[in-house]
Amino acid sequence: MKILAIDDQQLVLLPLQKRLQELGYEVIIETDAYAGISIYNHENPDLVIVDINMPNVSGLDIVKYIRNSKNADTPVMVLSGNTADDIITTGFELGINDYMKKPLSLNEISARVKRLIGAPAGENTVSNSNVMIQERCVGVVIPCYNEEERLLSNEFITYIVKNSGYHLCFVNDGSTDRTLEVLKELQKGREDFITVYNCKKNGGKAEAVRLGMLHMAKKEDLDYIGFLDADLSTDLADFDDLVKTIETSDFKIVSGSRISRMGANITKESARKIISLTINYIIRKILKMDFKDTQCGAKIFHKDVINIAFGEKFVTQWIFDVEIFKRMSIYFGLKNAKSMLCEQPLKRWIHADGSKLSMKDSVKIVGQLAQIAWVYRAKKYKMKSVVGNELKMI
C-alpha cells in the first residue's frame, strides 16, 4: 500500500516515513507542494498525508486538487500544527478524512492510518514508538574545539532518535586532535539530522557559534536555531524546555540561566562562582537589563533575529552573549528588546571538567567588557544618527 506525505519540513517527514515503512507501507515523502502534486498524479497513492501551512501552496489547495482529480476518492489525512477551528472546518468541508494536530505520537498516526486504509499485506510487527511528531523544527549549533575525549556522542544520538524535529550542527573550530574524525563518524548515516561544519583554523567559540548559526539559518525548514556547549553542561532535556518556551510565546530569544532555584542541581567551584557574580554585575550595568546569567551556553533564537544577532563578527572571543543582547537593544530599542528576551532557569547545570576558560581568562573578561561598552556606545550613536537622517528625509 502506497502513502504520499507532503510537508515543507523534512525533519517532520523523515521519522514519519521510517515508522510507516517499518509497518510495511510504501512511503513517498516530498517537501515541495508542486512536486507533491506531480507525484500524486503519477503514483496514484492509496493515501495522502498533507500539512496545511506550506509556502506557495496551502495544504487545503492540495486537498481541493485531489478532490477534483481523476482519483477524487483518494483518502486524505491532514497532519498540521494549525489548530484554528475555521481551518479544520474548511478541511472537512473540502472532503478530508482525518485531521491530526501536531504534536502527535507516531503510534497514534500509525493507528489512524490503519483505521483509514487498513494494514498492509504481511504487516510487520513493531514495538510502540515514543517519538512525537512536533509542530516546530529546531537547529542546534554545537561548537567543538579539541572535544575528542569529551564529546558525548551517544547522548546526542539518543536525543535525535527520541526527539523529532531536531537538526544538530557540530562546528569543528580548527581542532588539533581527532575531533573532526569523531564528528564525521557521528554524522555517518545521519546526514539528514546532523551537519558537520569544519573551520580549518581556530577562530574561538564566538566565531564558531556565529558561523554555525548563519549556516543553519539557510535551512528553510527550521523555525528556531540555538546553540549548546559540546560538554552538555546544560542538559538536553533542559534545552528542549527552552524551545517549548519560545514556541509558546512572543519571545525572540530564550536564554538558559544557571541561577539556583529549589530542586535544581547547580554545581560550580566557589572561586569561579564569586568571579562570575562580579562579572554579571558589570554586565547588567552595561546592558541596563536585569540578567542573572548572560553567559550560559544554552540559548534559542527565533529565526528572524539571527542576522541581527550574528550578522557581524563579534568584538570579543568569550562574552559574545553580551554583544548579542546589546545588538538587540540597539536595533529594537532597550524597551522593546527587554520584551523580546527571556531568561529561564535551568533544572540542571554542572561545570564540566576540562573547561577551556581558566581563572586568568576570567579576569581578562573584565577588560573585554570595557571594550564592549566602548564599541557599542559608538554603534548606538551611529544608529541614532542614521535614524535621525531618515526622519529628516521624510
Side-chain angles (χ1 to χ4, degrees), residues 335-381:
K335 183 179 179 180
N336 289 332
K338 285 182 177 180
S339 68
M340 296 177 179
L341 307 177
C342 171
E343 189 175 30
Q344 180 168 307
L346 302 173
K347 296 175 183 175
R348 170 191 175 275
W349 183 84
I350 296 176
H351 171 65
D353 292 334
S355 172
K356 307 297 186 301
L357 197 64
S358 67
M359 297 287 285
K360 184 178 180 181
D361 293 331
S362 297
V363 176
K364 290 181 181 178
I365 287 178
V366 176
Q368 292 190 13
L369 287 172
Q371 187 180 9
I372 288 175
W374 175 259
V375 170
Y376 283 90
R377 179 174 178 271
K379 286 181 180 289
K380 181 178 180 179
Y381 284 117

mmCIF file of all heavy atoms in Angstrom, residues 335-381:
data_model
loop_
_atom_site.group_PDB
_atom_site.id
_atom_site.type_symbol
_atom_site.label_atom_id
_atom_site.label_comp_id
_atom_site.label_asym_id
_atom_site.label_seq_id
_atom_site.Cartn_x
_atom_site.Cartn_y
_atom_site.Cartn_z
ATOM 1 N N LYS A 335 13.635 49.180 25.485
ATOM 2 C CA LYS A 335 12.336 48.739 25.995
ATOM 3 C C LYS A 335 11.796 47.553 25.210
ATOM 4 O O LYS A 335 11.347 46.553 25.790
ATOM 5 C CB LYS A 335 11.343 49.897 25.946
ATOM 6 C CG LYS A 335 9.982 49.551 26.522
ATOM 7 C CD LYS A 335 9.038 50.748 26.481
ATOM 8 C CE LYS A 335 7.663 50.391 27.042
ATOM 9 N NZ LYS A 335 6.737 51.565 26.992
ATOM 10 N N ASN A 336 11.840 47.647 23.884
ATOM 11 C CA ASN A 336 11.340 46.552 23.052
ATOM 12 C C ASN A 336 12.209 45.309 23.196
ATOM 13 O O ASN A 336 11.703 44.183 23.230
ATOM 14 C CB ASN A 336 11.298 46.985 21.582
ATOM 15 C CG ASN A 336 10.203 47.990 21.309
ATOM 16 O OD1 ASN A 336 9.180 48.001 21.995
ATOM 17 N ND2 ASN A 336 10.409 48.849 20.329
ATOM 18 N N ALA A 337 13.523 45.513 23.282
ATOM 19 C CA ALA A 337 14.437 44.375 23.410
ATOM 20 C C ALA A 337 14.165 43.593 24.688
ATOM 21 O O ALA A 337 14.179 42.363 24.689
ATOM 22 C CB ALA A 337 15.888 44.855 23.379
ATOM 23 N N LYS A 338 13.890 44.306 25.764
ATOM 24 C CA LYS A 338 13.599 43.634 27.032
ATOM 25 C C LYS A 338 12.388 42.721 26.919
ATOM 26 O O LYS A 338 12.348 41.640 27.510
ATOM 27 C CB LYS A 338 13.359 44.667 28.133
ATOM 28 C CG LYS A 338 14.616 45.342 28.653
ATOM 29 C CD LYS A 338 14.276 46.316 29.773
ATOM 30 C CE LYS A 338 15.525 46.947 30.358
ATOM 31 N NZ LYS A 338 15.199 47.898 31.451
ATOM 32 N N SER A 339 11.389 43.139 26.136
ATOM 33 C CA SER A 339 10.177 42.329 25.979
ATOM 34 C C SER A 339 10.400 41.122 25.076
ATOM 35 O O SER A 339 9.595 40.190 25.071
ATOM 36 C CB SER A 339 9.045 43.183 25.407
ATOM 37 O OG SER A 339 9.310 43.564 24.060
ATOM 38 N N MET A 340 11.507 41.134 24.318
ATOM 39 C CA MET A 340 11.798 40.045 23.386
ATOM 40 C C MET A 340 12.696 38.971 23.998
ATOM 41 O O MET A 340 12.841 37.893 23.429
ATOM 42 C CB MET A 340 12.499 40.590 22.137
ATOM 43 C CG MET A 340 11.666 41.531 21.306
ATOM 44 S SD MET A 340 12.631 42.166 19.907
ATOM 45 C CE MET A 340 11.406 43.203 19.103
ATOM 46 N N LEU A 341 13.299 39.292 25.142
ATOM 47 C CA LEU A 341 14.279 38.395 25.752
ATOM 48 C C LEU A 341 13.708 37.735 27.002
ATOM 49 O O LEU A 341 13.036 38.376 27.807
ATOM 50 C CB LEU A 341 15.547 39.171 26.119
ATOM 51 C CG LEU A 341 16.186 39.998 25.002
ATOM 52 C CD1 LEU A 341 17.386 40.766 25.537
ATOM 53 C CD2 LEU A 341 16.601 39.121 23.846
ATOM 54 N N CYS A 342 14.010 36.454 27.157
ATOM 55 C CA CYS A 342 13.547 35.710 28.321
ATOM 56 C C CYS A 342 14.712 34.930 28.915
ATOM 57 O O CYS A 342 15.459 34.268 28.188
ATOM 58 C CB CYS A 342 12.428 34.750 27.932
ATOM 59 S SG CYS A 342 11.943 33.581 29.226
ATOM 60 N N GLU A 343 14.876 35.025 30.215
ATOM 61 C CA GLU A 343 15.888 34.252 30.923
ATOM 62 C C GLU A 343 15.190 33.154 31.715
ATOM 63 O O GLU A 343 14.376 33.438 32.587
ATOM 64 C CB GLU A 343 16.698 35.154 31.846
ATOM 65 C CG GLU A 343 17.906 34.469 32.453
ATOM 66 C CD GLU A 343 18.750 35.427 33.274
ATOM 67 O OE1 GLU A 343 18.188 36.380 33.845
ATOM 68 O OE2 GLU A 343 19.970 35.215 33.347
ATOM 69 N N GLN A 344 15.481 31.908 31.390
ATOM 70 C CA GLN A 344 14.787 30.777 32.001
ATOM 71 C C GLN A 344 15.750 29.919 32.812
ATOM 72 O O GLN A 344 16.722 29.388 32.276
ATOM 73 C CB GLN A 344 14.128 29.933 30.908
ATOM 74 C CG GLN A 344 13.365 28.723 31.431
ATOM 75 C CD GLN A 344 12.498 28.108 30.349
ATOM 76 O OE1 GLN A 344 11.697 28.786 29.716
ATOM 77 N NE2 GLN A 344 12.659 26.816 30.127
ATOM 78 N N PRO A 345 15.481 29.756 34.117
ATOM 79 C CA PRO A 345 16.363 28.933 34.955
ATOM 80 C C PRO A 345 16.418 27.494 34.475
ATOM 81 O O PRO A 345 15.409 26.922 34.050
ATOM 82 C CB PRO A 345 15.714 29.019 36.332
ATOM 83 C CG PRO A 345 14.889 30.256 36.302
ATOM 84 C CD PRO A 345 14.388 30.369 34.895
ATOM 85 N N LEU A 346 17.603 26.906 34.535
ATOM 86 C CA LEU A 346 17.782 25.504 34.175
ATOM 87 C C LEU A 346 17.499 24.629 35.384
ATOM 88 O O LEU A 346 17.702 25.039 36.526
ATOM 89 C CB LEU A 346 19.218 25.261 33.695
ATOM 90 C CG LEU A 346 19.685 26.089 32.493
ATOM 91 C CD1 LEU A 346 21.179 25.844 32.250
ATOM 92 C CD2 LEU A 346 18.895 25.735 31.246
ATOM 93 N N LYS A 347 17.030 23.430 35.127
ATOM 94 C CA LYS A 347 16.798 22.481 36.210
ATOM 95 C C LYS A 347 18.106 21.832 36.646
ATOM 96 O O LYS A 347 18.259 21.364 37.756
ATOM 97 C CB LYS A 347 15.803 21.412 35.757
ATOM 98 C CG LYS A 347 14.422 21.961 35.455
ATOM 99 C CD LYS A 347 13.522 20.877 34.892
ATOM 100 C CE LYS A 347 12.159 21.440 34.507
ATOM 101 N NZ LYS A 347 11.319 20.417 33.845
ATOM 102 N N ARG A 348 19.046 21.776 35.691
ATOM 103 C CA ARG A 348 20.322 21.119 35.981
ATOM 104 C C ARG A 348 21.426 21.813 35.206
ATOM 105 O O ARG A 348 21.262 22.141 34.040
ATOM 106 C CB ARG A 348 20.254 19.638 35.579
ATOM 107 C CG ARG A 348 21.584 18.908 35.617
ATOM 108 C CD ARG A 348 21.466 17.532 34.952
ATOM 109 N NE ARG A 348 22.758 16.876 34.870
ATOM 110 C CZ ARG A 348 23.631 17.064 33.900
ATOM 111 N NH1 ARG A 348 23.375 17.896 32.915
ATOM 112 N NH2 ARG A 348 24.794 16.417 33.889
ATOM 113 N N TRP A 349 22.551 22.077 35.882
ATOM 114 C CA TRP A 349 23.744 22.548 35.177
ATOM 115 C C TRP A 349 24.953 22.150 35.987
ATOM 116 O O TRP A 349 24.999 22.350 37.199
ATOM 117 C CB TRP A 349 23.730 24.066 34.990
ATOM 118 C CG TRP A 349 24.933 24.533 34.208
ATOM 119 C CD1 TRP A 349 25.075 24.562 32.859
ATOM 120 C CD2 TRP A 349 26.164 25.017 34.751
ATOM 121 N NE1 TRP A 349 26.322 25.024 32.517
ATOM 122 C CE2 TRP A 349 27.021 25.315 33.652
ATOM 123 C CE3 TRP A 349 26.650 25.224 36.034
ATOM 124 C CZ2 TRP A 349 28.297 25.806 33.809
ATOM 125 C CZ3 TRP A 349 27.940 25.713 36.202
ATOM 126 C CH2 TRP A 349 28.741 26.006 35.096
ATOM 127 N N ILE A 350 25.939 21.550 35.328
ATOM 128 C CA ILE A 350 27.156 21.112 36.016
ATOM 129 C C ILE A 350 28.365 21.639 35.273
ATOM 130 O O ILE A 350 28.470 21.489 34.053
ATOM 131 C CB ILE A 350 27.237 19.573 36.095
ATOM 132 C CG1 ILE A 350 26.083 19.033 36.945
ATOM 133 C CG2 ILE A 350 28.574 19.133 36.690
ATOM 134 C CD1 ILE A 350 26.015 17.529 37.005
ATOM 135 N N HIS A 351 29.277 22.268 35.985
ATOM 136 C CA HIS A 351 30.529 22.715 35.379
ATOM 137 C C HIS A 351 31.363 21.488 35.046
ATOM 138 O O HIS A 351 31.796 20.751 35.927
ATOM 139 C CB HIS A 351 31.298 23.625 36.335
ATOM 140 C CG HIS A 351 32.688 23.943 35.855
ATOM 141 N ND1 HIS A 351 32.918 24.664 34.714
ATOM 142 C CD2 HIS A 351 33.900 23.591 36.356
ATOM 143 C CE1 HIS A 351 34.233 24.761 34.533
ATOM 144 N NE2 HIS A 351 34.842 24.120 35.506
ATOM 145 N N ALA A 352 31.557 21.232 33.747
ATOM 146 C CA ALA A 352 32.266 20.026 33.315
ATOM 147 C C ALA A 352 33.773 20.198 33.443
ATOM 148 O O ALA A 352 34.313 21.284 33.234
ATOM 149 C CB ALA A 352 31.906 19.715 31.859
ATOM 150 N N ASP A 353 34.445 19.112 33.793
ATOM 151 C CA ASP A 353 35.905 19.130 33.874
ATOM 152 C C ASP A 353 36.486 19.383 32.489
ATOM 153 O O ASP A 353 35.945 18.960 31.474
ATOM 154 C CB ASP A 353 36.428 17.792 34.399
ATOM 155 C CG ASP A 353 36.051 17.576 35.856
ATOM 156 O OD1 ASP A 353 35.852 18.583 36.557
ATOM 157 O OD2 ASP A 353 35.956 16.388 36.266
ATOM 158 N N GLY A 354 37.619 20.077 32.452
ATOM 159 C CA GLY A 354 38.278 20.306 31.169
ATOM 160 C C GLY A 354 37.828 21.576 30.489
ATOM 161 O O GLY A 354 38.028 21.759 29.305
ATOM 162 N N SER A 355 37.158 22.481 31.218
ATOM 163 C CA SER A 355 36.699 23.728 30.628
ATOM 164 C C SER A 355 37.871 24.513 30.071
ATOM 165 O O SER A 355 38.947 24.555 30.648
ATOM 166 C CB SER A 355 35.984 24.575 31.686
ATOM 167 O OG SER A 355 35.699 25.849 31.178
ATOM 168 N N LYS A 356 37.641 25.152 28.913
ATOM 169 C CA LYS A 356 38.714 25.900 28.262
ATOM 170 C C LYS A 356 38.964 27.255 28.935
ATOM 171 O O LYS A 356 39.945 27.911 28.690
ATOM 172 C CB LYS A 356 38.358 26.139 26.783
ATOM 173 C CG LYS A 356 37.999 24.878 26.014
ATOM 174 C CD LYS A 356 39.170 23.927 25.949
ATOM 175 C CE LYS A 356 38.871 22.730 25.050
ATOM 176 N NZ LYS A 356 37.724 21.942 25.460
ATOM 177 N N LEU A 357 38.048 27.714 29.818
ATOM 178 C CA LEU A 357 38.144 29.031 30.423
ATOM 179 C C LEU A 357 38.819 28.940 31.789
ATOM 180 O O LEU A 357 38.275 28.361 32.723
ATOM 181 C CB LEU A 357 36.741 29.624 30.571
ATOM 182 C CG LEU A 357 36.660 31.134 30.804
ATOM 183 C CD1 LEU A 357 37.204 31.873 29.596
ATOM 184 C CD2 LEU A 357 35.213 31.536 31.075
ATOM 185 N N SER A 358 40.021 29.502 31.920
ATOM 186 C CA SER A 358 40.772 29.440 33.167
ATOM 187 C C SER A 358 40.433 30.634 34.050
ATOM 188 O O SER A 358 39.742 31.567 33.643
ATOM 189 C CB SER A 358 42.272 29.449 32.870
ATOM 190 O OG SER A 358 42.642 30.702 32.316
ATOM 191 N N MET A 359 40.928 30.603 35.285
ATOM 192 C CA MET A 359 40.710 31.706 36.209
ATOM 193 C C MET A 359 41.331 32.993 35.659
ATOM 194 O O MET A 359 40.762 34.077 35.795
ATOM 195 C CB MET A 359 41.326 31.354 37.569
ATOM 196 C CG MET A 359 40.691 30.153 38.244
ATOM 197 S SD MET A 359 39.059 30.524 38.888
ATOM 198 C CE MET A 359 39.509 31.482 40.333
ATOM 199 N N LYS A 360 42.519 32.861 35.040
ATOM 200 C CA LYS A 360 43.191 34.018 34.456
ATOM 201 C C LYS A 360 42.339 34.617 33.350
ATOM 202 O O LYS A 360 42.241 35.845 33.203
ATOM 203 C CB LYS A 360 44.560 33.597 33.916
ATOM 204 C CG LYS A 360 45.399 34.752 33.376
ATOM 205 C CD LYS A 360 46.759 34.246 32.912
ATOM 206 C CE LYS A 360 47.602 35.389 32.365
ATOM 207 N NZ LYS A 360 48.925 34.909 31.891
ATOM 208 N N ASP A 361 41.717 33.729 32.544
ATOM 209 C CA ASP A 361 40.853 34.191 31.460
ATOM 210 C C ASP A 361 39.665 34.974 32.022
ATOM 211 O O ASP A 361 39.223 35.962 31.418
ATOM 212 C CB ASP A 361 40.321 33.001 30.648
ATOM 213 C CG ASP A 361 41.430 32.290 29.876
ATOM 214 O OD1 ASP A 361 42.401 32.960 29.512
ATOM 215 O OD2 ASP A 361 41.298 31.074 29.644
ATOM 216 N N SER A 362 39.159 34.533 33.165
ATOM 217 C CA SER A 362 38.011 35.203 33.772
ATOM 218 C C SER A 362 38.334 36.660 34.097
ATOM 219 O O SER A 362 37.494 37.550 33.943
ATOM 220 C CB SER A 362 37.584 34.464 35.047
ATOM 221 O OG SER A 362 37.165 33.155 34.756
ATOM 222 N N VAL A 363 39.564 36.899 34.551
ATOM 223 C CA VAL A 363 39.987 38.269 34.863
ATOM 224 C C VAL A 363 40.051 39.110 33.583
ATOM 225 O O VAL A 363 39.670 40.286 33.568
ATOM 226 C CB VAL A 363 41.359 38.268 35.563
ATOM 227 C CG1 VAL A 363 41.841 39.688 35.793
ATOM 228 C CG2 VAL A 363 41.270 37.502 36.884
ATOM 229 N N LYS A 364 40.496 38.499 32.484
ATOM 230 C CA LYS A 364 40.604 39.207 31.206
ATOM 231 C C LYS A 364 39.231 39.660 30.698
ATOM 232 O O LYS A 364 39.124 40.637 29.952
ATOM 233 C CB LYS A 364 41.250 38.312 30.158
ATOM 234 C CG LYS A 364 42.722 38.019 30.378
ATOM 235 C CD LYS A 364 43.269 37.129 29.264
ATOM 236 C CE LYS A 364 44.739 36.809 29.475
ATOM 237 N NZ LYS A 364 45.264 35.911 28.408
ATOM 238 N N ILE A 365 38.191 38.945 31.118
ATOM 239 C CA ILE A 365 36.846 39.271 30.657
ATOM 240 C C ILE A 365 36.449 40.696 31.048
ATOM 241 O O ILE A 365 35.746 41.386 30.311
ATOM 242 C CB ILE A 365 35.830 38.251 31.222
ATOM 243 C CG1 ILE A 365 35.997 36.921 30.495
ATOM 244 C CG2 ILE A 365 34.399 38.749 31.077
ATOM 245 C CD1 ILE A 365 35.088 35.818 30.995
ATOM 246 N N VAL A 366 36.921 41.145 32.210
ATOM 247 C CA VAL A 366 36.600 42.497 32.657
ATOM 248 C C VAL A 366 37.081 43.519 31.624
ATOM 249 O O VAL A 366 36.369 44.480 31.285
ATOM 250 C CB VAL A 366 37.229 42.779 34.035
ATOM 251 C CG1 VAL A 366 36.965 44.235 34.444
ATOM 252 C CG2 VAL A 366 36.678 41.828 35.079
ATOM 253 N N GLY A 367 38.266 43.306 31.085
ATOM 254 C CA GLY A 367 38.792 44.193 30.050
ATOM 255 C C GLY A 367 37.961 44.120 28.781
ATOM 256 O O GLY A 367 37.731 45.134 28.113
ATOM 257 N N GLN A 368 37.488 42.906 28.443
ATOM 258 C CA GLN A 368 36.666 42.746 27.249
ATOM 259 C C GLN A 368 35.308 43.430 27.417
ATOM 260 O O GLN A 368 34.740 43.946 26.454
ATOM 261 C CB GLN A 368 36.473 41.260 26.942
ATOM 262 C CG GLN A 368 37.764 40.562 26.510
ATOM 263 C CD GLN A 368 37.510 39.163 25.971
ATOM 264 O OE1 GLN A 368 36.382 38.790 25.700
ATOM 265 N NE2 GLN A 368 38.571 38.400 25.815
ATOM 266 N N LEU A 369 34.801 43.439 28.649
ATOM 267 C CA LEU A 369 33.541 44.138 28.910
ATOM 268 C C LEU A 369 33.698 45.638 28.680
ATOM 269 O O LEU A 369 32.792 46.292 28.134
ATOM 270 C CB LEU A 369 33.074 43.863 30.339
ATOM 271 C CG LEU A 369 32.515 42.465 30.606
ATOM 272 C CD1 LEU A 369 32.275 42.257 32.097
ATOM 273 C CD2 LEU A 369 31.224 42.246 29.831
ATOM 274 N N ALA A 370 34.840 46.188 29.082
ATOM 275 C CA ALA A 370 35.109 47.607 28.848
ATOM 276 C C ALA A 370 35.162 47.879 27.347
ATOM 277 O O ALA A 370 34.668 48.910 26.867
ATOM 278 C CB ALA A 370 36.433 47.997 29.508
ATOM 279 N N GLN A 371 35.732 46.925 26.597
ATOM 280 C CA GLN A 371 35.812 47.054 25.143
ATOM 281 C C GLN A 371 34.407 47.067 24.525
ATOM 282 O O GLN A 371 34.112 47.872 23.633
ATOM 283 C CB GLN A 371 36.631 45.902 24.567
ATOM 284 C CG GLN A 371 36.922 46.020 23.079
ATOM 285 C CD GLN A 371 37.745 44.835 22.574
ATOM 286 O OE1 GLN A 371 37.955 43.867 23.276
ATOM 287 N NE2 GLN A 371 38.201 44.943 21.338
ATOM 288 N N ILE A 372 33.542 46.178 25.008
ATOM 289 C CA ILE A 372 32.164 46.123 24.505
ATOM 290 C C ILE A 372 31.442 47.437 24.792
ATOM 291 O O ILE A 372 30.750 47.992 23.921
ATOM 292 C CB ILE A 372 31.402 44.950 25.163
ATOM 293 C CG1 ILE A 372 31.914 43.618 24.610
ATOM 294 C CG2 ILE A 372 29.899 45.076 24.925
ATOM 295 C CD1 ILE A 372 31.307 42.396 25.274
ATOM 296 N N ALA A 373 31.595 47.941 26.016
ATOM 297 C CA ALA A 373 30.925 49.188 26.398
ATOM 298 C C ALA A 373 31.330 50.324 25.472
ATOM 299 O O ALA A 373 30.493 51.131 25.044
ATOM 300 C CB ALA A 373 31.251 49.533 27.851
ATOM 301 N N TRP A 374 32.608 50.382 25.117
ATOM 302 C CA TRP A 374 33.108 51.462 24.261
ATOM 303 C C TRP A 374 32.646 51.293 22.821
ATOM 304 O O TRP A 374 32.105 52.222 22.204
ATOM 305 C CB TRP A 374 34.631 51.505 24.330
ATOM 306 C CG TRP A 374 35.225 52.517 23.372
ATOM 307 C CD1 TRP A 374 35.796 52.292 22.167
ATOM 308 C CD2 TRP A 374 35.257 53.932 23.566
ATOM 309 N NE1 TRP A 374 36.197 53.457 21.585
ATOM 310 C CE2 TRP A 374 35.875 54.500 22.425
ATOM 311 C CE3 TRP A 374 34.834 54.781 24.594
ATOM 312 C CZ2 TRP A 374 36.065 55.860 22.288
ATOM 313 C CZ3 TRP A 374 35.030 56.141 24.458
ATOM 314 C CH2 TRP A 374 35.643 56.660 23.309
ATOM 315 N N VAL A 375 32.820 50.095 22.259
ATOM 316 C CA VAL A 375 32.489 49.845 20.849
ATOM 317 C C VAL A 375 30.994 50.025 20.584
ATOM 318 O O VAL A 375 30.592 50.679 19.618
ATOM 319 C CB VAL A 375 32.935 48.425 20.422
ATOM 320 C CG1 VAL A 375 32.379 48.085 19.038
ATOM 321 C CG2 VAL A 375 34.452 48.327 20.421
ATOM 322 N N TYR A 376 30.157 49.465 21.466
ATOM 323 C CA TYR A 376 28.719 49.526 21.209
ATOM 324 C C TYR A 376 28.113 50.879 21.581
ATOM 325 O O TYR A 376 27.022 51.218 21.113
ATOM 326 C CB TYR A 376 28.007 48.379 21.921
ATOM 327 C CG TYR A 376 28.205 47.080 21.169
ATOM 328 C CD1 TYR A 376 29.284 46.251 21.447
ATOM 329 C CD2 TYR A 376 27.345 46.716 20.139
ATOM 330 C CE1 TYR A 376 29.494 45.080 20.740
ATOM 331 C CE2 TYR A 376 27.537 45.541 19.423
ATOM 332 C CZ TYR A 376 28.618 44.733 19.729
ATOM 333 O OH TYR A 376 28.830 43.584 19.008
ATOM 334 N N ARG A 377 28.827 51.653 22.358
ATOM 335 C CA ARG A 377 28.409 53.038 22.600
ATOM 336 C C ARG A 377 28.519 53.816 21.301
ATOM 337 O O ARG A 377 27.629 54.590 20.935
ATOM 338 C CB ARG A 377 29.295 53.674 23.677
ATOM 339 C CG ARG A 377 28.960 55.132 24.007
ATOM 340 C CD ARG A 377 29.799 55.598 25.191
ATOM 341 N NE ARG A 377 29.552 56.995 25.520
ATOM 342 C CZ ARG A 377 30.223 58.012 24.981
ATOM 343 N NH1 ARG A 377 31.186 57.778 24.100
ATOM 344 N NH2 ARG A 377 29.942 59.256 25.346
ATOM 345 N N ALA A 378 29.601 53.566 20.560
ATOM 346 C CA ALA A 378 29.792 54.222 19.266
ATOM 347 C C ALA A 378 28.745 53.750 18.255
ATOM 348 O O ALA A 378 28.196 54.534 17.485
ATOM 349 C CB ALA A 378 31.202 53.931 18.739
ATOM 350 N N LYS A 379 28.451 52.449 18.279
ATOM 351 C CA LYS A 379 27.439 51.901 17.365
ATOM 352 C C LYS A 379 26.067 52.513 17.635
ATOM 353 O O LYS A 379 25.295 52.796 16.721
ATOM 354 C CB LYS A 379 27.369 50.379 17.521
ATOM 355 C CG LYS A 379 28.545 49.627 16.906
ATOM 356 C CD LYS A 379 28.359 48.127 17.110
ATOM 357 C CE LYS A 379 29.513 47.336 16.497
ATOM 358 N NZ LYS A 379 29.469 47.377 15.018
ATOM 359 N N LYS A 380 25.767 52.720 18.912
ATOM 360 C CA LYS A 380 24.481 53.274 19.291
ATOM 361 C C LYS A 380 24.311 54.684 18.732
ATOM 362 O O LYS A 380 23.281 55.024 18.146
ATOM 363 C CB LYS A 380 24.355 53.286 20.819
ATOM 364 C CG LYS A 380 23.024 53.830 21.325
ATOM 365 C CD LYS A 380 22.967 53.746 22.838
ATOM 366 C CE LYS A 380 21.622 54.285 23.344
ATOM 367 N NZ LYS A 380 21.530 54.202 24.820
ATOM 368 N N TYR A 381 25.335 55.507 18.883
ATOM 369 C CA TYR A 381 25.239 56.879 18.382
ATOM 370 C C TYR A 381 25.202 56.918 16.860
ATOM 371 O O TYR A 381 24.543 57.756 16.260
ATOM 372 C CB TYR A 381 26.411 57.718 18.923
ATOM 373 C CG TYR A 381 26.223 58.101 20.364
ATOM 374 C CD1 TYR A 381 27.101 57.667 21.347
ATOM 375 C CD2 TYR A 381 25.144 58.895 20.753
ATOM 376 C CE1 TYR A 381 26.917 58.015 22.683
ATOM 377 C CE2 TYR A 381 24.952 59.249 22.084
ATOM 378 C CZ TYR A 381 25.842 58.799 23.028
ATOM 379 O OH TYR A 381 25.647 59.138 24.343
#
